[in-house]
Structures are given as C-alpha cells and as structure tokens.
Amino acid sequence: MSWAGKILRVNLTAGTVTTEALRMDWAKLYLGSRGLATKYLVEEIDPKVDPLSNDNKIIWATGPLTGTMASTGGRYTVVTKGPLTGAIACSNSGGYWGAELKTAGWDMVIFEGASPKPVYLSIEDDKVELRDAAHLWGKSVWETEAIIHKTHQDPLVRVSSIGMAGENKVLFAAVVNDLHRAAGRSGVGAVMGSKNLKAVAVRGTKGVGNLANPAEFLKVTAEKKKILAENGVTGQGLPAYGTQVLMNVINEVGALPTRNHRDVQFEGAKDISAEAMATPRATDGKKPLVTNQACFGCTIACGRIQKIDQGHFTVSTKPQYWGASGGLEYEAAWALGAANGVKDLDALQYANVLCNEHGMDPISFGATVGAVMELYEMGVLTKEQIGIDAQFGSPQALAHFAEITAKGEGFGKEIGQGSKRLTIKYGHPDLSMSSKGQEFPAYDGRAIQGIGLAYATSNRGGCHLRGYTIASEVLGIPVKTDPLESAGKPELVKAFQDATAAFDSAGVCIFTSFAWGLADVAPQVAAACGDEFTLENMSLIGERIWNMERDFNNRAGFTSKDDSLPKRLLTEAAKTGPAKGKVNELGKMLPEYYAIRGWDSDGQIKPETRERLGL
Amino acid sequence: MQKSLHINPDKCTGCLQCEMACSYENYGVFAPAKSRIKVFNFHETGRKVPYTCTQCDEAWCLHACPVEAITVDKATGAKVVSESTCVGCKVCTISCPFGTINYMQETGKVQKCDLCGGDPACATACPTGAITFIDSNWTGLSKMQAWADKLGNQAAA
C-alpha cells in the first residue's frame, strides 16, 4: 500500500515518544504529506491558536510515493500553523530526508507541546528518542548536521534542522535538510524554534515496499520517467539551467517585480540569470555554476551547485564560503536581486548561502529587504537606524542584512519580522508586497493576471507554488493563456490549485507538472496504493485538501478581505513592457473564483460544497 | 562478450535511482541502506560519484574466503556470494581493497554486486547514463572518441 502505516507522536513537554497506526480512513481521503498532515493538524489544534505557543503542533510528513522509484519521490512537507501569516502553513522540501523517514518505517512525525530545553529527535528505524541539543543550540544548519554525524558515528544520518533564524524565531525561518534543501516558507522554522526543537535526525534501513501492484508500479514509473526525459523543460531546460532560466523570460514579458514592485522589468536581469551563472566571470574566469544536483529519486535534477568568486568582497576573508554550495534558484535570485535592484551575482549567491546556512526563506527575506530599501529611499528609515546605506541596488546592504537577520542582531531583528509588520511599524503598510502577510515570489500580478489571483487566494499567503499559472500564462503548459487577460483565470487558478494539492500530497515534486498532468500521477499512485486512486478521485482529493485548508483559515479568522493584493498591484499601473498601463484585475476575478469554488460571497464554504467534498 | 559496469561520475546527479533499483532487485524494497552500489556526494566540490564492485579477475575477496562462498559466474564474470555457504566471518570485507563487499546485519552474510546475473538493475535505472553496462574490453571507448573528436576531427586549417 506504499504508506508505512505508522506515525510517531512526540510530546515535547513531557519528553515522550509514542507510536500510532496511520489513520487509513484519512489516508484514502487526503492521500499523504500535505493533505494528510493537514488533516491531522486541523483535527488536533484550535485554528485560533498562537502559532508560536505550546498549543501549536508541527508535523513532518511523507507521501505514499516518497521513498519509491517514482521520479522525484523524495519530497516531504512540514505542516503547522504559520507564524508569518497566522494561516495554515505547509512547506515542501526535497533532498534525501523525506525518503529516509519513510525507509525508517514512518509516514509522519507529529510534535506537540514544547521542550523545556533544547532537544533533537533521533530516529534509527524503530529506535526513537529525544536527545539533548544544548551543544547544538546556536549552531548553523551545516554545523548541526556535521555534529550529529560525528556524535552518531554515522555519515549517512539525514538531518532536518533549524539554524539561528529558527532559534531566534525569525518569522520566515526555514527548516533545512541535506545542507541546502529547505521547507522554506511561512516560518515553519520559527515554530520549531519556539518548541526548543533543533533537529530531526533520521537513519532508515528498512526500505519502502508493500506496493499494491509492484510489477505495474515499476512499469508505469518507468513510462512516466520517459515523459520527463523527453520534455524540453524537464529533460533539458531545468537540468541545464535550473529554475533560474526563467529570469530573462519573465523580464521579457514585463513581469519581473523590481525594486519592491515599483517596476516590472529589471535592467540587471541578464546579470543575475541562469545564462550568467553558466558564463565565466570577468574577475576569475570561472563559471559560478559548478554542476547540477538531483534530490532523492529525481530524474530532472534542477538543483544548482555554485561557487562564489573568492575575491568577492562578501567572502574574500571567509574561506569557509569558497567551496561548492547550493543555489541559486530562480525565486531566490529574484528576491535577493531584482526585488532589491541588486545585480551583483556573487552578492546574491552569498546571501543565498547564508539563508541555507542559518535557515531563512530567501523570498521573504529578500522581499522584506526590498521594502526596507524603499523606506530608506523615502527617508522613513535612516542609516543611523539600520546601520548601513541601503539604497536600491546596494550589494553591501544586501550582504549586511543577510548577516544580521538570522542572528537577530541590530536592525536584523526588525527585518526578521517580515515586511508586513515592518511596514506597519514605520507607517507604510501599503509597501509590504504580500498577501496574508507572506511576501510574493518572482512574478508580477499586473503582467500575469492569473498569478495575482493565485497570490490573493493562496491558503498559505503569497506564493507561486499553490497554483503556478505561470505554466499556462507564460510557458503555454498545458495550454497557452494570455497573461494580460483576466477572463478565464478563476477557472485556471482553481484547476492549478487543486492539482497541485494532489501532487504535493502524493510525495512528488511539483516541477514534474511541466511535463506531467494529474493523469500521469494518478496511475503511479494507483499502482502503489490501490486502484481507487483514479484521475477523478485524485482531482477530488486535491479539491478536498484545498477546501480543508481554506476552512482552517476561515475558522482562524480570515475573511474575504484577506484575499487581497497590495494597493500597488491594484492601482499603480505597470510602467514598462507588454503590461504597460495594466493593474491586476482582482476585483473582477475574485467573485467568479468564489462561485466556481462553491463558496459564498464572503469566501465561506457553502454547505453543499462541504457535502460534495466530504468535509 | 563479457560486459562491465562503467561509471562516469560527470553524469551522476545523485538521484539514487541506482540504489533503489539495486535494493529492489535483491530485497524487494526501495532501500538505499541495502544497496550494493553507493553514490557518494562530495559537498565541497559538488561531485557525485557512484561506486560498486569492479569484479576483479584475481578477486581478493574470493581468495580470502575460507569456505569458498565466493565463486565466479562464468557467464558474466561476476564474483558471486553464495548465501548458503557464507558464514559471515567478514574476512573478505578486510581483504577487499575497495570496500565493495560488505556484511549485512539483517542476514548475517556478506553482500556484493553480482551484476544481477547479467542485466544490472542500476544501469537500467540510471537516468543520465552515469552507469552503463558495456563491453569489458572497450570501457574507454567513449572517452577515446571524445578525445579523437577534440584532436583529429577539426576542419583543416
């Protein structure tokens, strides 16, 4: 059946670990990972709970395809109530950790309460124990992993941990595994920190088996791998250039948010693009890009391994940053670059490496720095307050903020609150480029109408991974729609949101959806889990998960007013490019979206919709 | 024709499909911990290197075994461990210069690559061609071809 069938429950207050059988009735309805862990969470916590209090819970979860030979079957999610947003939080990561948990014999780990002192959870198959983490507190993600390897005398232990950002409850702190893969968004790392939980270290030797139809599984997963290999995006573009290949593409369509969304095109785009990563530097003649890297089971291999110029001002006296390391992905390159007007590629790499090392979401960090730079240029913030000249385009300011934010030093403490709280504090709440308190990623909602609606309605706040309409609106996958046209986008957004929820819950990577539809995922799940997982059922599961998340947010106090975009996207027209003169037409799209969803005009789920979805 | 596993680390992405294929072939589960081929990820350089038994002609493990549990598969040239004969003494694990024969606590025996009887699952599973199963006499062929192209296949000046 592909699920391990067992979960771990760790009460951090009492220091106890217990095991439970997986609720198979829920697994049939919510599949795994994102969907299933969210089901556990919404059943167990009060939606109004303070995310950083002992009453919140946090869950690490795998899907039924995690740990199998299905391509990209290495994903796991961290699910909790997010401190950045106050909404449901579900952050997804690759690397090797998720498969390791599954192969140790566990579908998920639920943490509740809070430990009186720093601890980490050690899982060696059935041997599970909380261990003292006093010696790990204050250490980076990388140091934590190295120390655990040494303590356990086992270099094959996989570690999912927080760095100083999580310990200091930076509201966009990430959970990082395998050095540079992250469950990055919504501040899941801060929840971990609030519970005095430093790391979850796993070594699994049992393996994943028990497939419903083993011969069919090997056959169908091989067929689906072939589709990925033969597709231009997943077979060539992503392995060669990574997601950063989008930089010039999105700039061309005038949708590259620049200088805190003041502009929609960046004159330095080519300097921070994937092509620049693959071009020898003028300074040392070396390419920043060293090689690509796959996550567990992934036959795409979009991950980037880079090296920073040793002579660059950020690292010239810090040899610890001269080796190969993870990055840049498109979203990070945008957030650290275009969002701040910075086109110094090495500075972006450095800031990105610090985000990995100390466990921070580069999107929310970079976007918050963008807001700080705008406030600085307006004279609202001064050099005396923030410690450095911070005009747009300053790589020095970017590097400085990256150094102080995770550590909670000086003005870094305020950046660590995210752009919403920071801009409110300084009297300009309209300058936070966010929805539900979470900063937008790298696409402008004025030039790509559907993504604006996706941002406004994302259950975890501003996010591209809850409904990546860019695929259709820019890349023409599965069909091309006009990015400047808002008509038809409510349907498109709903379709992407529901399908994504099903992909995430199966345990595969959403990047497969450049080549796969849900019709390609369903037979893999069916071969692993049973024939009832038809395309139709998978679509319904995705929609059910979306509505469950929405229901949690509604009960947490969110209303239709929170399905919003900042004034800038709704009233300040794009200045250049194909979208010149356009704003986002959210007002037109939202009512239609609610109607298609089966929600009332306040965004509440109608009783008949609940009934149809079995909620 | 004898064939050998040929490894090109330049092409390895670290996806571990080979490890899963190996463990599934031998134990029916996806379990890198049970795999006879291992991918090493050298973080400081970004290099990923798959490594497994090269099937030495004069195999140290075979000669060291006191109970003759390791024999040559005449069809493939693989050095194969007989689980029913192996006593788990681990002397072979000491004698092998490459570390590619290892003890398994779960079975009390040693395990090593046996080329899956002539159709190695790791090579089939590898999505990038980092692991191939090719003519033992010509494992250098593609490298030779690349250099021949570089040195001799240029337009005349």
Side-chain angles (χ1 to χ4, degrees):
Chain A
M1 297 279 280
S2 197
W3 292 278
K6 287 190 306 176
I7 67 171
L8 285 166
R9 185 178 294 276
V10 182
N11 185 315
L12 291 163
T13 307
T16 56
V17 180
T18 50
T19 67
E20 294 170 15
L22 182 71
R23 286 283 303 259
M24 286 310 297
D25 52 337
W26 288 353
K28 305 257 176 193
L29 294 170
Y30 299 93
L31 204 53
S33 199
R34 174 176 163 186
L36 191 53
T38 304
K39 175 64 178 170
Y40 272 85
L41 190 82
V42 304
E43 290 289 335
E44 295 189 14
I45 70 165
D46 177 350
K48 294 195 185 300
V49 75
D50 172 355
L52 296 179
S53 74
N54 295 5
D55 295 328
N56 195 6
K57 299 190 183 187
I58 183 167
I59 304 175
W60 274 247
T62 65
L65 297 184
T66 308
T68 72
M69 275 179 85
S71 185
T72 77
R75 311 296 300 187
Y76 76 98
T77 47
V78 181
V79 176
T80 186
K81 179 174 175 176
L84 184 68
T85 57
I88 192 78
C90 170
S91 292
N92 187 305
S93 183
Y96 302 97
W97 190 92
E100 199 72 22
L101 179 69
K102 187 80 169 289
T103 202
W106 307 103
D107 291 306
M108 60 171 86
V109 189
I110 301 175
F111 289 91
E112 47 196 37
S115 171
K117 59 182 180 54
V119 290
Y120 74 101
L121 187 74
S122 166
I123 303 172
E124 292 173 6
D125 289 337
D126 293 330
K127 191 178 160 210
V128 184
E129 58 186 6
L130 282 168
R131 293 194 182 188
D132 180 58
H135 62 302
L136 299 174
W137 210 250
K139 302 291 186 196
S140 73
V141 165
W142 300 349
E143 291 165 332
T144 299
E145 190 166 322
I147 294 167
I148 289 175
H149 284 163
K150 206 170 163 196
T151 312
H152 290 234
Q153 294 185 307
D154 186 351
L156 297 176
V157 173
R158 307 291 188 186
V159 180
S160 177
S161 70
I162 51 169
M164 269 173 284
E167 291 180 14
N168 291 326
K169 301 179 196 67
V170 168
L171 292 182
F172 45 82
V175 173
V176 180
N177 57 284
D178 302 294
L179 303 180
H180 31 242
R181 304 310 313 182
R185 302 221 69 192
S186 311
V188 293
V191 175
M192 211 172 156
S194 75
K195 298 189 175 308
N196 266 327
L197 176 64
K198 179 68 178 175
V200 187
V202 190
R203 179 82 155 95
T205 68
K206 295 182 171 184
V208 177
N210 199 23
L211 302 165
N213 188 340
E216 175 64 17
F217 185 78
L218 292 181
K219 184 171 153 270
V220 73
T221 52
E223 284 168 13
K224 300 309 177 189
K225 284 173 194 165
K226 199 158 170 266
I227 293 176
L228 296 178
E230 290 171 355
N231 178 280
V233 178
T234 52
Q236 293 157 26
L238 285 174
Y241 291 110
T243 54
Q244 212 176 344
V245 74
L246 285 166
M247 192 67 71
N248 288 323
V249 176
I250 300 300
N251 198 45
E252 283 291 306
V253 299
L256 191 69
T258 300
R259 289 174 283 269
N260 205 33
H261 288 65
R262 274 182 174 176
D263 300 300
V264 294
Q265 289 183 308
F266 182 39
E267 65 285 357
K270 67 175 188 329
D271 301 312
I272 61 170
S273 67
E275 291 81 353
M277 288 291 284
T279 305
R281 281 183 288 248
T283 45
D284 65 355
K286 291 177 182 159
K287 295 174 190 174
L289 178 68
V290 176
T291 183
N292 65 333
Q293 162 91 50
C295 295
F296 182 94
C298 175
T299 57
I300 303 173
C302 74
R304 305 289 92 185
I305 302 295
Q306 64 178 25
K307 275 188 187 173
I308 307 173
D309 177 2
Q310 295 182 10
H312 192 261
F313 79 90
T314 51
V315 300
S316 59
T317 59
K318 298 171 186 164
Q320 69 268 34
Y321 298 115
W322 293 357
S325 195
L328 288 160
E329 316 296 339
Y330 171 61
E331 306 298 332
W334 164 80
L336 303 168
N340 305 310
V342 178
K343 60 179 184 178
D344 178 337
L345 189 58
D346 287 284
L348 309 194
Q349 291 184 72
Y350 174 68
N352 187 61
V353 160
L354 290 190
C355 284
N356 288 336
E357 184 181 21
H358 300 300
M360 278 197 301
D361 167 19
I363 301 179
S364 282
F365 166 71
T368 303
V369 170
V372 168
M373 287 180 169
E374 183 157 10
L375 291 169
Y376 176 84
E377 292 206 343
M378 290 162 65
V380 177
L381 289 171
T382 63
K383 185 182 174 185
E384 288 65 43
Q385 274 172 296
I386 62 181
I388 192 164
D389 284 319
Q391 64 278 15
F392 279 122
S394 167
Q396 288 78 13
L398 174 71
H400 175 69
F401 291 143
E403 286 164 0
I404 63 174
T405 298
K407 293 175 184 167
E409 293 170 2
F411 191 71
K413 216 173 246 171
E414 302 202 30
I415 294 175
Q417 293 295 298
S419 66
K420 182 183 166 190
R421 288 164 178 83
L422 189 143
T423 54
I424 288 173
K425 177 172 175 182
Y426 291 102
H428 293 273
D430 291 342
L431 295 184
S432 170
M433 294 299 117
S434 63
S435 279
K436 298 185 178 67
Q438 178 158 285
E439 290 74 12
F440 299 137
Y443 314 88
D444 197 292
R446 288 165 291 195
I448 307 175
Q449 292 290 320
I451 202 70
L453 177 63
Y455 288 168
T457 58
S458 160
N459 287 326
R460 70 168 184 177
C463 173
H464 59 299
L465 293 171
R466 285 298 174 272
Y468 192 71
T469 60
I470 308 304
S472 167
E473 294 182 277
V474 178
L475 305 172
I477 302 169
V479 286
K480 183 78 171 78
T481 53
D482 181 355
L484 300 175
E485 181 57 65
S486 61
K489 295 303 161 63
E491 274 173 45
L492 186 77
V493 168
K494 176 185 181 291
F496 271 82
Q497 288 173 335
D498 293 349
T500 301
F503 272 74
D504 286 347
S505 301
V508 295
C509 177
I510 194 60
F511 288 179
T512 57
S513 67
F514 288 116
W516 290 351
L518 204 48
D520 295 296
V521 178
Q524 300 185 75
V525 175
C529 303
D531 291 339
E532 72 260 45
F533 294 98
T534 58
L535 171 59
E536 193 186 13
N537 189 15
M538 288 288 284
S539 303
L540 192 66
I541 286 172
E543 188 179 3
R544 183 182 295 126
I545 291 166
W546 189 267
N547 279 271
M548 166 176 63
E549 293 172 342
R550 173 77 182 192
D551 190 49
F552 177 88
N553 286 349
N554 284 345
R555 288 188 291 126
F558 286 90
T559 67
S560 58
K561 288 190 187 66
D562 299 297
D563 294 335
S564 62
L565 294 172
K567 222 193 252 173
R568 180 162 282 174
L569 296 189
L570 299 174
T571 61
E572 291 178 27
K575 294 176 197 157
T576 63
K580 189 174 176 184
K582 291 281 289 184
V583 294
N584 184 273
E585 296 169 3
L586 181 66
K588 277 192 203 166
M589 295 185 282
L590 198 60
E592 191 186 338
Y593 173 82
Y594 284 178
I596 293 170
R597 278 264 171 232
W599 300 347
D600 66 22
S601 56
D602 291 328
Q604 300 288 326
I605 304 168
K606 289 181 182 173
E608 58 264 36
T609 307
R610 282 179 191 280
E611 197 177 333
R612 181 171 63 82
L613 297 172
L615 281 174
Chain B
M1 177 179 75
Q2 202 178 90
K3 290 171 117 183
S4 296
L5 280 174
H6 181 59
I7 287 169
N8 181 350
D10 288 347
K11 293 184 177 176
C12 179
T13 62
C15 75
L16 308 193
Q17 285 280 346
C18 57
E19 296 194 16
M20 281 189 280
C22 180
S23 61
Y24 193 82
E25 176 77 18
N26 292 297
Y27 302 99
V29 288
F30 305 119
K34 299 182 196 298
S35 174
R36 298 165 182 184
I37 184 166
K38 290 303 293 177
V39 177
F40 295 89
N41 198 334
F42 297 95
H43 298 292
E44 281 293 304
T45 60
R47 302 278 289 178
K48 281 81 65 178
V49 186
Y51 203 75
T52 189
C53 175
T54 55
Q55 315 294 347
C56 314
D57 274 7
E58 290 296 328
W60 279 267
C61 61
L62 183 148
H63 290 303
C65 180
V67 294
E68 296 184 1
I70 301 172
T71 55
V72 182
D73 179 331
K74 290 207 170 59
T76 64
K79 310 304 171 293
V80 179
V81 178
S82 162
E83 280 218 2
S84 56
T85 313
C86 174
V87 296
C89 75
K90 312 177 197 66
V91 169
C92 57
T93 69
I94 299 167
S95 69
C96 173
F98 311 106
T100 52
I101 184 164
N102 285 283
Y103 178 68
M104 270 198 105
Q105 296 170 51
E106 294 90 331
T107 58
K109 314 284 179 183
V110 296
Q111 67 159 356
K112 68 179 288 299
C113 170
D114 60 4
L115 297 177
C116 298
D119 183 15
C122 56
T124 307
C126 179
T128 63
I131 306 166
T132 49
F133 192 55
I134 58 175
D135 184 346
S136 298
N137 288 13
W138 287 107
T139 55
L141 195 65
S142 60
K143 229 182 251 179
M144 283 171 75
Q145 186 184 26
W147 280 100
D149 181 27
K150 194 169 177 178
L151 295 174
N153 191 25
Q154 309 298 325

